[in-house]
Amino acid sequence: MNLRRKASTAAAAGALTVLTALSGAEATAAPPTAVRTAPADAAGVTHADNPRVPEGASWSEAYFPSSDGSDVELHADVLRPEHLPADAKTPVILSVGPYFAHNGQTGPEGHDRVGPSARFNDLVAGADLMERGYTFVMVDLRGFGGSTGCLDWGGPGEQADVKAAIEWSAAQPWSTGEVGMYGKSYDAVTGLIGNNLKVESLEAVVAQEPLWNMYPYLYSNRVPRPNVTGTPNAYNSIATMPPMADDTDHYKANATYEATHPECLTDNLANNQEPDPEAAYWKDRDLAEDAAGTSTPLLVTQGFIENNTKPEDMERYLDRHHGEERGWLGQWEHVRGNDTNSTGQLLMGRAGWFDEVMAFYDQHLLDAAPSTFPMYAIENNFGAWRTQDTWPVEATTTKAKLADGRYVDNGGVAPAAGVTAPPTSPFSESQIKRWDLERAPGTTRLTGQEKKLLASVVATNHDYWTWSTPTTSAVRITGTPSIAFDNDRPGNVMVRLWDVAPDGTAVMFDENVALLEKGRTAFDLKSTDWTLATGHQLGVQIGTISSGSWRDTPTGNTVTVTNAKLDLQLQDPATDEPTQGDRSPWLDRYLRSNTATLADVGAGSFALTLSRGR
């Protein structure tokens, strides 16, 4: 373990102000006036004092400065093991994010008294965190909860907040100096930021369903997504959530920061309306690029068919990271490793999430024996689980030459029977306005109209297809497919990959779009892990953006595509090593929503051939 302290960290700790909210013994009868500010050495609030505090924990609040030299003050809620002396040193699990306000995660939750966020009570209880002797710290990013400052969408300001939170957690008199980070969605993003910062005291990161780069959540290669304004506005709404009546005066003053700094809200919206991924704004938020040379041990989860934080730039991030990597990867939506549905099914399908998380933390924060869990556990598109030492594994690389073709960039208007208008967004305006990283609306993906277009593809002019020859054995497409081609004029393009059965039944399993300028175009699709059964073909669809999942502007141009090449990594499923895990429930829903019947599938012009013996 690393027990050293940095002088700068200790100096920052000296500026600490600690506030503890104390309430009456009768939880249901305590009025707001019962809350008072307590001195730093006062006992924290327990579950017996306030039912919002998890059992076995003692809750206090703290304030400390961010690390960028600004006047931003950060707020933390601290849960300490109730059974330990106040000065007992423990390792710290830290979460940093926008969802820890006392009033609620994304909006007021109807609490009748102040208390710490319940966002990760599942971790506190499910992992026996207090009994194990860990401290859990929740820090509000700037602009959220009890912190001041303007929200910064993963930028330099928020990066400074993460650095300050790690260093503050390591420097406290009750801390061993060993810090691990934990999160899902936005607070998984801050875990990846923590790794990128190379802070000495950060020893392990657990990041469930993160963004690997901030740009692709709002744009795809200069094409805006439907939430390009909805997401910034959603976070503006979270940032302006009112404090609770019985919050301390200090907390209330910080929570209403935006009332006297309205530029925080207008700037957050305006700054994120930049479509150019090469702009300085997005360079500062390219988490994958900033992961180069980092080595913090990582435990990550990622749904390949996620409907929210998609696996874009995932492989690029992991390639640049050089430390230990573990992961659960598979065919699920935006969920946690321990989440279940109403019938008790695990939504990722694999048991033992908290066992693996705590073995990971114990190893890196307590010098326990290394975990015996597999490095990667991966669910395929048939619902079966396997183990791998890395993801992706060394694989056969294929550069498939695609057919030349042309299409009209008309947004999907086609002469097929019953199709008279381009597809519309499957998301309502009210859904889009609430679209933060936790609350992306669900969608059935392919609309009925899109399926009509696909069924009559040969009669349309809005796309064209290239087919592989039928596979002679099962072949897995893994890693990150990429495409490059020449185009003769500006427009929009959508590229989709399809798993096509011999009867024409096809599942769309990967897609991405781009805004075209005349010349050579190249871009990645989403990272994927999809197995084509024996006799199946890969269908590559190139055409206009005929989906409501982007907010494109069709040009009406007829775009000619030449010299197209698709780079693929192929893996032999015959070498799979099985591990425990059930079929994730989301997989069946995805298959129902993304399956169409294609007519006149070609014989194929390129092969998906594995190099045996690798």
Side-chain angles (χ1 to χ4, degrees):
M1 291 190 297
N2 173 16
L3 298 178
R4 289 172 291 177
R5 299 289 185 272
K6 294 183 178 180
S8 61
T9 305
L16 168 67
T17 302
V18 178
L19 299 179
T20 305
L22 297 180
S23 53
E26 295 297 324
T28 58
T33 55
V35 176
R36 62 182 177 86
T37 299
D41 60 352
V45 177
T46 68
H47 182 77
D49 301 321
N50 183 342
R52 288 191 62 185
V53 179
E55 293 187 14
S58 173
W59 166 54
S60 61
E61 299 179 64
Y63 296 88
F64 54 92
S66 188
S67 65
D68 58 358
S70 67
D71 60 357
V72 169
E73 183 179 61
L74 303 177
H75 168 266
D77 287 303
V78 180
L79 299 178
R80 292 270 295 152
E82 180 184 4
H83 66 281
L84 295 181
D87 59 353
K89 292 184 179 294
T90 71
V92 178
I93 307 300
L94 167 69
S95 256
V96 185
Y99 300 132
F100 299 121
H102 294 162
N103 208 353
Q105 294 183 47
T106 59
E109 294 172 349
H111 299 296
D112 59 2
R113 66 188 306 175
V114 74
S117 171
R119 177 167 174 77
F120 289 121
N121 280 0
D122 58 343
L123 170 70
V124 174
D128 295 326
L129 212 58
M130 298 297 109
E131 291 83 350
R132 288 175 178 267
Y134 281 86
T135 294
F136 185 51
V137 175
M138 295 169 280
V139 175
D140 299 317
L141 283 170
R142 60 183 58 202
F144 297 101
S147 295
T148 64
C150 293
L151 48 166
D152 192 37
W153 187 240
E158 291 190 358
Q159 293 166 27
D161 297 348
V162 173
K163 182 175 187 289
I166 297 169
E167 292 181 339
W168 180 85
S169 297
Q172 296 315 293
W174 39 256
S175 173
T176 62
E178 307 299 306
V179 179
M181 294 189 72
Y182 187 87
K184 179 246 181 174
S185 200
Y186 206 125
D187 31 54
V189 169
T190 59
L192 298 185
I193 288 173
N195 165 71
N196 291 358
L197 293 171
K198 302 179 183 178
V199 182
E200 186 177 14
S201 50
L202 181 63
E203 303 290 348
V205 171
V206 177
Q208 303 169 85
E209 311 303 303
L211 295 180
W212 306 88
N213 180 8
M214 303 305 285
Y215 176 83
Y217 198 72
L218 302 180
Y219 297 91
S220 295
N221 304 300
R222 300 176 185 255
V223 181
R225 291 187 177 273
N227 57 304
V228 67
T229 57
T231 292
N233 280 326
Y235 284 105
N236 284 349
S237 176
I238 296 170
T240 53
M241 189 169 22
M244 298 191 68
D246 53 346
D247 266 311
T248 65
D249 289 343
H250 194 163
Y251 188 101
K252 289 177 181 177
N254 286 6
T256 55
Y257 181 85
E258 289 81 9
T260 55
H261 296 80
E263 71 278 5
C264 292
L265 308 179
T266 55
D267 288 352
N268 181 51
L269 179 59
N271 291 340
N272 284 295
Q273 306 311 299
E274 171 55 76
D276 183 4
E278 300 301 316
Y281 181 82
W282 293 117
K283 291 291 189 182
D284 287 342
R285 292 157 175 80
D286 187 344
L287 306 185
E289 189 66 28
D290 291 343
T294 59
S295 59
T296 312
L298 300 179
L299 170 56
V300 303
T301 75
Q302 180 64 62
F304 289 113
I305 53 177
E306 253 266 31
N307 63 329
N308 189 356
T309 54
K310 302 170 181 66
E312 296 176 289
D313 287 313
M314 172 187 176
E315 184 178 4
R316 189 162 67 96
Y317 189 103
L318 295 176
D319 278 350
R320 283 162 170 72
H321 173 260
H322 296 161
E324 176 187 339
E325 293 173 5
R326 296 177 175 272
W328 288 19
L329 314 178
Q331 316 300 327
W332 49 73
E333 73 271 50
H334 196 64
V335 293
R336 306 180 188 192
N338 58 293
D339 279 348
T340 59
N341 63 16
S342 59
T343 65
Q345 285 180 289
L346 286 162
L347 295 182
M348 287 190 186
R350 180 172 166 85
W353 172 249
F354 289 132
D355 292 337
E356 187 161 343
V357 165
M358 295 315 299
F360 180 69
Y361 282 142
D362 286 350
Q363 176 185 346
H364 294 292
L365 277 66
L366 292 174
D367 277 350
S371 166
T372 59
F373 292 97
M375 302 305 287
Y376 279 93
I378 305 172
E379 180 199 19
N380 68 20
N381 49 296
F382 304 115
W385 286 77
R386 70 182 191 274
T387 68
Q388 288 182 185
D389 289 338
T390 63
W391 183 88
V393 297
E394 183 180 358
T396 302
T397 300
T398 293
K399 189 180 291 287
K401 187 179 187 306
L402 306 180
D404 295 343
R406 64 177 58 191
Y407 63 91
V408 179
D409 178 28
N410 57 7
V413 176
V419 180
T420 58
T424 56
S425 173
F427 313 113
S428 69
E429 285 301 316
S430 61
Q431 286 177 314
I432 291 171
K433 288 177 181 177
R434 297 192 304 271
W435 194 333
D436 62 74
L437 265 66
E438 278 289 9
R439 299 180 299 176
T443 171
T444 55
R445 304 291 294 167
L446 292 183
T447 64
Q449 180 172 256
E450 287 181 284
K451 291 186 178 183
K452 284 184 181 180
L453 290 171
L454 291 166
S456 58
V457 62
V458 295
T460 70
N461 64 354
H462 73 281
D463 58 19
Y464 78 97
W465 293 71
T466 306
W467 317 94
S468 76
T469 56
T471 60
T472 57
S473 62
V475 175
R476 177 174 296 123
I477 298 175
T478 188
T480 309
S482 63
I483 191 166
F485 53 83
D486 295 324
N487 50 278
D488 67 341
R489 64 194 61 199
N492 299 274
V493 69
M494 168 181 280
V495 177
R496 281 174 161 171
L497 303 185
W498 294 80
D499 175 2
V500 187
D503 65 356
T505 302
V507 179
M508 189 276 291
F509 66 92
D510 204 348
E511 64 181 342
N512 209 348
V513 305
L515 186 66
L516 301 179
E517 297 178 355
K518 180 180 178 180
R520 189 73 175 167
T521 297
F523 58 93
D524 288 343
L525 280 69
K526 294 182 297 183
S527 295
T528 190
D529 199 85
W530 193 272
T531 301
L532 277 63
T534 302
H536 283 220
Q537 294 175 262
L538 176 66
V540 184
Q541 178 190 15
I542 300 177
T544 190
I545 302 176
S546 55
S547 166
S549 295
W550 284 272
R551 190 180 290 176
D552 58 300
T553 303
T555 63
N557 289 338
T558 298
V559 179
T560 299
V561 174
T562 56
N563 300 317
K565 291 181 173 61
L566 179 69
D567 282 3
L568 299 171
Q569 296 179 64
L570 307 180
Q571 184 182 0
D572 187 353
T575 64
D576 288 354
E577 297 182 15
T579 189
Q580 70 89 5
D582 296 327
R583 185 183 183 93
S584 54
W586 179 257
L587 177 55
D588 289 322
R589 178 177 172 184
Y590 181 88
L591 293 174
R592 287 194 303 269
S593 301
N594 289 273
T595 299
T597 301
L598 304 183
D600 297 318
V601 175
S605 59
F606 68 91
L608 301 177
T609 304
L610 293 162
S611 296
R612 301 294 178 179
R614 294 186 65 177

